[in-house]
Amino acid sequence: MREISEIMDVFAYRLFELIQDKGWNIQKFSKIIKLPRTTINSWLLKTRSPKIDNLCALADFFGVSVDYLLGRED
């Protein structure tokens, strides 16, 4: 079983990559998904983890699986 810090590393990396692939910065992304920029920054800085409902919404939004966001699949 992987450590939570490793899971958060993968999540932060993949979320940032997905945002960049759309050509957005954090501020624009936060407006699009209607979440505070500080919330997204806390996920990217790994100081907080997303709630399950936000994690599912992010996966749906980007058309990826939750397993992908958490590093359980490539």
Side-chain angles (χ1 to χ4, degrees):
M1 182 177 245
R2 294 180 312 159
E3 297 287 324
I4 189 73
S5 62
E6 182 183 346
I7 294 168
M8 288 305 300
D9 286 345
V10 171
F11 170 74
Y13 176 80
R14 290 193 171 171
L15 178 60
F16 186 71
E17 193 173 59
L18 288 165
I19 293 167
Q20 282 194 318
D21 285 350
K22 295 284 189 184
W24 299 328
N25 60 30
I26 304 307
Q27 183 149 346
K28 180 172 177 123
F29 178 63
S30 72
K31 287 181 181 180
I32 291 168
I33 64 167
K34 298 180 179 143
L35 284 174
R37 181 184 46 79
T38 54
T39 298
I40 297 164
N41 279 336
S42 69
W43 298 340
L44 295 174
L45 295 171
K46 300 171 270 181
T47 58
R48 290 179 49 204
S49 56
K51 294 179 182 177
I52 292 172
D53 59 333
N54 286 330
L55 188 60
C56 292
L58 288 169
D60 290 346
F61 179 83
F62 284 112
V64 298
S65 68
V66 170
D67 281 346
Y68 174 79
L69 287 175
L70 300 179
R72 295 173 45 108
E73 69 180 37
D74 293 329

